[in-house]
Structure formats: structure tokens, C-alpha cells
Amino acid sequence: MNQPPENDNDKARIARFIRNNLPAILQHWDEFARSIPAARHMPADRLRDHAAGMLGAIAADLDQPQTPSEQAAKGRGRAPPHARDTQAELHGSGRMSAGFTVSDTVAEFRALRASVMRLWADHDGDGNDLANDDLIRFNEAVDQALTESLAAYFVEKDEVTHRFDTLLSATPDLHYIVDTDGHVLYANRALARLFSTPGKSPCEHRLADFCPAFAAQIERDLRAVGQTRAIGRGELQCTAPDGAVHTYRYVLMPVINKDGEVDSITGTARNISELKASEAKILRNAYYDSLTSLPNRTLFRERLEHDVRHAARTEFALALLFIDLDGFKEVNDRFGHDTGDQLLQHCAQRLQGCVRATDTVARIGGDEFTIILNEVSKLAFVEVLVGEILTELARPFSIGGKLVHVSGSIGISLCPQDTQQPDDLLRNADQAMFVAKHGGRNRFSYFTPDIRDSAWARLKVIDELRQALARCELLVYYQPIVELATEAIVKAEALVRWRHPDGSLVLPERFIGIAEEAGLIGEIDAWVLSQAVPCAVRLAELTGTPFQISVNKSPVEFMSRLVKNTWDEDLALLGRAGPRIAVEITEGVLLDDSPGVRDKLARLQQAGVQLTIDDFGIGYSSMAYLNKFKVDFLKIDQSFVKDMLTTNPNSQIFAETIIAMAHKLGLKVIAEGVETAAQRDWLRQAGCDYAQGFLFSQATSEECFAQLLRAAPGCRA
């Protein structure tokens, strides 16, 4: 068994030397350490603390006795393992964290050894033989410490590398390092999975191998980064092992070594397939209608401008069709918006089936479509195509087990015959469509200068009408409604008139339709109501009995979601007026059984308003709707009254039927358009309750109407 050599206290002399001369050693050490690259910018106290700790550990090691075999093993750097981390191991881990390289760590120990040996050589100690023994023991301790430090250094480096790899592999992004020739030095797991060769390490690949279709692009970008040292960027598409196609956006960055040369290239690539799909969707939404997949207004305008320029360079004409569906609103309201949406989709398909691939079919809003016909050589071609479109739209649509019917009104504008400006082409086609729709629907109309002039005149009327309320140009006239049994004036209808700036008195049939189309009807009806309510109060005071005035509410106010109206204000006023006001609506309002219409009618009834159906008998009448909405009065249309005793005896049958039906339902009947005593007498005999017409009085001002009441028997005024 090996025994420790004698004179162990002598062998620890250098340990005492280190402890006694530690400040001088560290000062000398500091001069050496500053030549180490990684130590140049390290704080002096931190640098010295590590050195002092290592010297203390070496001194402690020298204090420990050792056998010859232990000494031999230590000389080879193979001392027995310690139960816990040694100072040298902690030193190695610390230096790894501080950014020291292996060369820096070895240089640090070399400087440490040199500092001790330099001072020992200058020391006035004992003889050389003993000093040599001490130095041998000292060098063995230093070698052992260096071995332990480097072992810990590499363990820490492996841990850092493992953590680095774990971090980069935890992300779906591709991370990689390649040499300047493109050979893979490092690939995280996400990239490794994309290399198609099974059983082959990622480092046996070139970076371009993961996407062969773009290999040339990748190699070109790598060369550019290596040559210019600039960051490289790009995009590529590659097919994954599962067959899915993915788009990657990548970045390449040069790694510059201490000599200022590019020795490798690092990079990352991100899968942006979802981003690309989102961008494509946004782009499509910007240019295509989401319901029909047709070009929308934006793309239509761009194509129209392009096609107009193309037509200007060729001898061919261009035709623009503006198509509006007839009866779409009725389908939408009766069967619901889902059916309406499907109808628009079917219409879009039929329109596309009528045109060439070079033509453009677009949906520009609601039930309005446009078609750009390019390279039109003959006008007859346009008319034939338009005829086919009208035929296709008029064919029944089968939607949800129901047959749905619509038709189309088409306006046509030609380039260059009509204009060479895209905006004017669209405006002209729109105006021509308007003429076709008012001409009976299911037909087409070419744009003409007369249409333009008429449209300008119409726009002028709209502009003047917008200012009529502000300028107090509107008037309310009142036409008497008499009770046929007594011929007493018991009610009146409020009728609007327009005192035009030119001095003429314009009747409602000349401007109400325009007001409805322009969205002004709500304001006009609300103003008439505001005038009629106080008038009814004044007339009741005049007669000494309740007096009722009927006001008209346009169907547009009930059925359009776009018209600007003042329903809340109107209802509040009607609620205060009570039975003094009755509201006249058309049959079409009742038949439009949409939620919006039902809500408005219900709110009118909740306000205590009586309902009158105007022009009854000329539309699609329904007793079920009369009962459902609790109508109070029916007005026989004047067309039946006019002909009942002259050209059309059947009008008597219609009038008698309406009166009998109304009375069975508990309703009162008003006949309008009564102009002769014979008509009055026949209506009285038939059981009609009230009458209105020129026989009794034309519509007149409130002042004149009051005079009529004063002249009536029984008036207390």
C-alpha cells in the first residue's frame, strides 16, 4: 500500500508562499490577464476574484497529502472525482458564461502559473532542490485545476448548445447555419423534418436541398450574402412531405469572424402560408363581391377604364349594360334575405353564361349588375345578347323548392358613340335603365340625348325639392270628406302642394315620385303631419265636435331600409293627436309582410292611429291582411267611381263588392273621385259611408276649408 511521503509540511511551502504573496501575485497576474481577448473588457475586481479563488483552491490542494499513485494520476490530470463542484469547475462554468474561449481559459491558467513561478524565482527562500519539488507539486495542481476547469467549460458549453437547440427547435420557424458553400452546419428540428432523405443527418445536406424547386434562388442569395455581407431576404414555396404547399419568407445573415471574413451564414425562415392566404382573401374582398364572386364596383371601374382605353386604340366599339332586377325587393321581402341572396347568385350565373370570357360581368350593389362588352363590331350583336339576357332572367328560378320570378330592366350606353369617359358611360347606362324600368320593365333602352336631358331636368327638380322645405315653399291643402247619409263634412285629407320658385303651384303627382326616389319623402310626410295635427285641433274647436284629418304615408317609408325618416317623432306626435289623425297607406304595404313593415304598422296601432287603405281595388287585395292589421277605412279607387255609370258597368259590381266586404269586416268605406250627383246617389244607395271629390270641393287652404265648415248646417262658429 502506498504511503504519503515524508516532510509533508515541507511540501506545502509553496502553498504558504501563495497565501503570503497573494496581492503581489495578483498584480503580476493582472498584467498577463489583460492580454487575454475575453478579459480585456472585464471588470478588474471580477477578474481578480476568479484568480484569487483559483490560487486559494490550488493552495488548499497543495496542503493535502497524496500518495505517489495519486501524484502520478494528478500529473496526468486524472485526480479522483470530488463529491461536489470544485473551484476549478466553477471557474470553467463561469468563464464559459463570460464568453471565454478554450484558448482564453488556457491562457488564463498559463498567466496564473507564470505569475507564481516568476515571483517564486525572485523569492529568497530555501535551496533549489526543495523549490523544484514544490514547483512540481504546484504544476501538478495547476494542471489538475486546468483539466477540471476545461471539463466544466465543455459541459457548460454542451448545456448552452443544448438549450440553444431546444429554444430554436421549440418554434415552428426554420433556423439554420450554413457554410459559405451552403452546406448545413446546424438545422433545428423544424428544418430537419423537411429534408426528404431518411436516415441522413441534416448536416449532410445543402440548404437548397429542402426546397429543390427554388435551389437556384437559395444558392444565388447565399452567394450574394457571402460576397456583399448584406442581409438577404426572399420568399419561396415548397412542398411538405404530406403534399401540402407552404410559402416561406427567409432571412440570411453573414457571420463575420475575427479576421473580418464571412465564415458562415445564419438564417431563419417563417411559414407565411396563412398570412398569404389572408392577404389573398383581403385582396379578393377588395375586388370581388363576396356573395356572387363577381367583380365588385372597384374592379369594375378599373376594368371599364382599361377597356375604354383599349377601345380608343382599336376600331371596335364598347357597350356597357346596366341591369336592375325587376321584382327583387318583393322576393326578398316575401321569402326572406336568404332566398334573395340565392336569387342574386343564380342571376349572376345566368348573366355569366350569356357573355364571352373577354367580357366583364360585375355586381355593383344590391340587385344592380353591369356588363362590359368588348370589341363590339355590330350593334345587332348587342341587341341579340340583351334579348338573351332578358329571356334568361325572366325564366323562373327554383330556390328552396319554390319558383321565384323576376325580370330585368337594362340600360345600354356605347363608347365612343355616346361618350369616351368611363364615368359618363356608367351614368348614361344608369339613366337608360331608369327609362326602361319606367317604360314597363323586362325591356332595354339605349341611352339618348333626350334621356340625358330628362335626367338633368329630374336632377334639377330634386335639387329644388331639397330646398323647398327650407324655403317654406310647401303648402298643405285639405279636401273635404263628407258623410253620405247627412252630406256633412266630417273628415278631410291633407294633400301637399309645392309653390315652385317660378310661381306655379305644383301638384303632388309631379314630385312625390321623385321625392321617394331621392329619399326626401320621409321629411315631406313628417312636415305634412306637423301641419295637419294643429289644423285638426283648430277645426275641432271651430265645429265643436272631434274632427279627423287623413295624412298619407308613402310606401317607401314602410318598405325601404334606406329612406331617412322620423318615425319616432311622428309616432310621438300621432300619440298626442289621438283620433284626430288617420294614416292612409296603400295595399302594397299590407302585402309586404316583412318584419320592418310589421313593426311600423304595429307601432302606429299602438299609438292609437286609425288606418285607411288608399286606392283599394287596383292592387293585390287580401282580406286576411285587412283583418290582421285591423284596418279602419277602405278607399274605393276613383277609377271605379269614374266609370261606374258610363263606360264600364262592371265598376258598379266591383264597388258593391268592396262595400259589402268592408262592412262584413267591420270597416267603413270612402269613395274618392266623386264628381257628379248621380255618382253620389248611387254610392249612397249602395251603402257607401263617405265620399270625397270635386262634387263637394277641391283641395283648398285651411282658411278656405274653415269657411266651408262655417257654411255647413250645425256649425257653431
Side-chain angles (χ1 to χ4, degrees):
M1 180 175 180
N2 294 326
Q3 296 294 329
E6 298 179 358
N7 300 323
D8 283 325
N9 288 333
D10 293 335
K11 295 290 180 117
R13 285 197 312 163
I14 195 167
R16 291 194 299 274
F17 171 79
I18 291 173
R19 293 189 180 97
N20 294 335
N21 297 276
L22 186 60
I25 295 173
L26 290 178
Q27 181 178 356
H28 193 271
W29 137 261
D30 190 63
E31 297 174 0
F32 279 96
R34 287 301 170 187
S35 65
I36 301 172
R40 289 171 185 165
H41 305 291
M42 185 177 290
D45 55 347
R46 184 178 174 191
L47 197 60
R48 290 192 176 197
D49 285 347
H50 264 281
M54 284 304 306
L55 288 171
I58 291 171
D61 182 49
L62 292 172
D63 285 338
Q64 300 298 321
Q66 61 182 9
T67 65
S69 61
E70 290 175 337
Q71 182 177 353
K74 185 177 291 187
R76 296 190 297 271
R78 298 177 181 175
H82 299 275
R84 57 189 178 86
D85 293 340
T86 65
Q87 184 69 30
E89 290 172 341
L90 296 175
H91 175 85
S93 298
R95 287 315 194 221
M96 170 64 195
S97 301
F100 276 55
T101 65
V102 172
S103 297
D104 293 338
T105 304
V106 172
E108 187 178 19
F109 274 94
R110 185 181 295 118
L112 197 66
R113 187 198 309 266
S115 297
V116 173
M117 293 180 68
R118 174 70 179 272
L119 291 175
W120 178 264
D122 296 339
H123 181 60
D124 295 329
D126 296 327
N128 290 334
D129 291 341
L130 189 57
N132 288 337
D133 291 340
D134 286 336
L135 290 177
I136 291 172
R137 179 76 186 274
F138 169 70
N139 284 324
E140 290 173 349
V142 172
D143 290 340
Q144 178 62 33
L146 177 59
T147 300
E148 293 176 357
S149 179
L150 289 178
Y153 178 96
F154 284 113
V155 169
E156 180 67 19
K157 185 173 183 180
D158 288 342
E159 286 296 323
V160 170
T161 301
H162 176 68
R163 289 193 291 269
F164 172 77
D165 182 58
T166 301
L167 173 66
L168 295 185
S169 294
T171 172
D173 293 347
L174 313 181
H175 296 281
Y176 46 87
I177 302 173
V178 299
D179 63 20
T180 53
D181 292 326
H183 293 96
V184 176
L185 303 177
Y186 168 80
N188 71 342
R189 294 192 191 103
L191 177 58
R193 284 194 294 266
L194 293 179
F195 288 115
S196 57
T197 307
K200 193 174 181 180
S201 168
C203 293
E204 299 179 64
H205 286 278
R206 298 173 64 86
L207 181 62
D209 293 342
F210 100 94
C211 188
F214 285 81
Q217 174 181 317
I218 296 173
E219 291 174 352
R220 182 183 65 248
D221 289 350
L222 286 172
R223 285 196 302 271
V225 171
Q227 293 169 0
T228 66
R229 303 186 183 185
I231 296 176
R233 304 178 188 275
E235 289 184 9
L236 55 80
Q237 283 186 334
C238 68
T239 303
D242 61 0
V245 178
H246 298 284
T247 301
Y248 285 89
R249 179 174 293 161
Y250 59 85
V251 178
L252 303 171
M253 294 168 288
V255 178
I256 312 297
N257 61 22
K258 63 181 179 179
D259 297 324
E261 298 176 348
V262 177
D263 63 7
S264 60
I265 297 171
T266 183
T268 183
R270 172 162 294 180
N271 190 331
I272 59 170
S273 301
E274 291 185 5
L275 176 62
K276 284 291 186 181
S278 177
E279 290 176 349
K281 184 177 180 180
I282 292 173
L283 184 63
R284 181 166 185 83
N285 289 341
Y287 286 99
Y288 288 89
D289 174 52
S290 60
L291 179 64
T292 63
S293 296
L294 293 177
N296 62 11
R297 180 182 290 270
T298 301
L299 182 55
F300 159 73
R301 292 299 295 269
E302 291 185 5
R303 290 190 179 179
L304 181 60
E305 292 176 0
H306 172 272
D307 292 342
V308 167
R309 290 194 298 269
H310 175 74
R313 296 192 301 267
T314 66
E315 60 182 7
F316 295 107
L318 176 148
L320 176 62
L321 312 184
F322 195 109
I323 305 169
D324 186 88
L325 298 182
D326 305 322
F328 173 76
K329 184 183 183 306
E330 288 77 3
V331 172
N332 207 34
D333 291 338
R334 180 167 296 183
F335 298 111
H337 293 292
D338 289 342
T339 298
D341 288 347
Q342 293 181 56
L343 175 59
L344 291 173
Q345 292 170 339
H346 288 303
C347 287
Q349 293 169 2
R350 291 191 185 182
L351 291 175
Q352 285 182 303
C354 292
V355 302
R356 302 163 298 181
T358 56
D359 301 324
T360 295
V361 180
R363 180 187 177 213
I364 61 173
D367 59 341
E368 295 178 338
F369 297 85
T370 55
I371 298 179
I372 305 173
L373 301 178
N374 289 294
E375 299 186 353
V376 176
S377 57
K378 294 182 180 180
L379 196 60
F381 166 75
V382 177
E383 295 189 5
V384 170
L385 177 62
V386 170
E388 292 177 0
I389 292 174
L390 290 175
T391 300
E392 283 298 307
L393 293 178
R395 284 195 302 111
F397 293 85
S398 178
I399 301 176
K402 301 181 289 290
L403 287 181
V404 177
H405 297 268
V406 293
S407 60
S409 295
I410 304 177
I412 307 170
S413 181
L414 302 175
C415 173
Q417 291 90 326
D418 297 330
T419 179
Q420 296 187 37
Q421 299 300 319
D423 289 344
D424 293 340
L425 266 176
L426 181 61
R427 186 182 302 110
N428 293 349
D430 186 11
Q431 292 170 0
M433 181 279 296
F434 183 82
V435 171
K437 186 171 287 290
H438 283 263
R441 302 185 175 189
N442 192 29
R443 62 188 64 200
F444 68 90
S445 173
Y446 284 102
F447 171 79
T448 65
D450 289 342
I451 290 176
R452 179 186 57 220
D453 295 342
S454 175
W456 279 112
R458 178 172 166 271
L459 291 175
K460 182 181 178 182
V461 171
I462 291 175
D463 184 58
E464 293 174 340
L465 195 55
R466 290 185 192 280
Q467 303 176 57
L469 275 172
R471 294 176 176 175
C472 299
E473 295 172 357
L474 296 184
L475 307 170
V476 178
Y477 277 27
Y478 301 92
Q479 186 172 34
I481 299 175
V482 303
E483 186 178 43
L484 285 175
T486 63
E487 293 197 22
I489 301 174
V490 294
K491 292 162 58 73
E493 180 181 358
L495 299 168
V496 66
R497 299 289 188 266
W498 179 14
R499 180 68 68 183
H500 195 271
D502 64 9
S504 63
L505 190 65
V506 184
L507 298 179
E509 53 264 26
R510 290 183 52 191
F511 66 86
I512 289 298
I514 295 177
E516 290 177 333
E517 294 166 7
L520 301 173
I521 192 62
E523 296 178 52
I524 293 176
D525 281 356
W527 180 81
V528 171
L529 177 62
S530 70
Q531 302 300 305
V533 171
C535 179
V537 173
R538 289 190 291 268
L539 294 178
E541 293 174 349
L542 178 65
T543 61
T545 58
F547 195 89
Q548 186 181 76
I549 295 179
S550 297
V551 296
N552 291 277
K553 278 289 183 184
S554 168
V556 176
E557 287 195 80
F558 284 91
M559 295 184 285
S560 175
R561 295 185 296 274
L562 301 177
V563 67
K564 180 181 178 182
N565 54 53
T566 54
W567 270 97
D568 291 337
E569 292 84 351
D570 288 359
L571 288 170
L573 185 55
L574 287 167
R576 293 193 298 270
R580 298 186 184 94
I581 297 294
V583 171
E584 294 194 10
I585 59 177
T586 62
E587 294 176 84
V589 173
L590 294 186
L591 292 176
D592 188 326
D593 193 20
S594 63
V597 171
R598 289 198 301 269
D599 177 67
K600 288 182 174 70
L601 289 173
R603 293 177 69 184
L604 283 175
Q605 291 176 339
Q606 290 169 5
V609 175
Q610 290 188 312
L611 292 180
T612 300
I613 304 301
D614 196 13
D615 302 329
F616 189 80
I618 61 173
Y620 296 94
S621 305
S622 172
M623 288 187 291
Y625 284 111
L626 294 177
N627 185 57
K628 177 179 180 179
F629 292 106
K630 300 178 182 178
V631 173
D632 300 284
F633 301 96
L634 292 184
K635 266 193 172 181
I636 301 175
D637 186 69
Q638 58 184 342
S639 62
F640 297 119
V641 176
K642 178 180 179 181
D643 299 336
M644 65 172 51
L645 300 178
T646 56
T647 60
N648 188 6
N650 286 334
S651 294
Q652 293 183 4
I653 299 175
F654 289 130
E656 288 175 337
T657 302
I658 291 172
I659 293 169
M661 177 193 68
H663 288 168
K664 287 289 186 181
L665 293 173
L667 310 181
K668 299 291 186 179
V669 181
I670 304 170
E672 57 182 351
V674 179
E675 297 181 355
T676 67
Q679 292 170 341
R680 176 200 61 196
D681 295 341
W682 186 91
L683 289 166
R684 182 191 296 126
Q685 184 179 1
C688 186
D689 303 288
Y690 305 99
Q692 173 182 355
F694 290 169
L695 175 64
F696 310 105
S697 173
Q698 296 184 6
T700 186
S701 65
E702 180 182 347
E703 182 180 353
C704 293
F705 191 90
Q707 292 177 3
L708 290 175
L709 287 179
R710 291 190 186 97
C715 179
R716 71 180 187 181

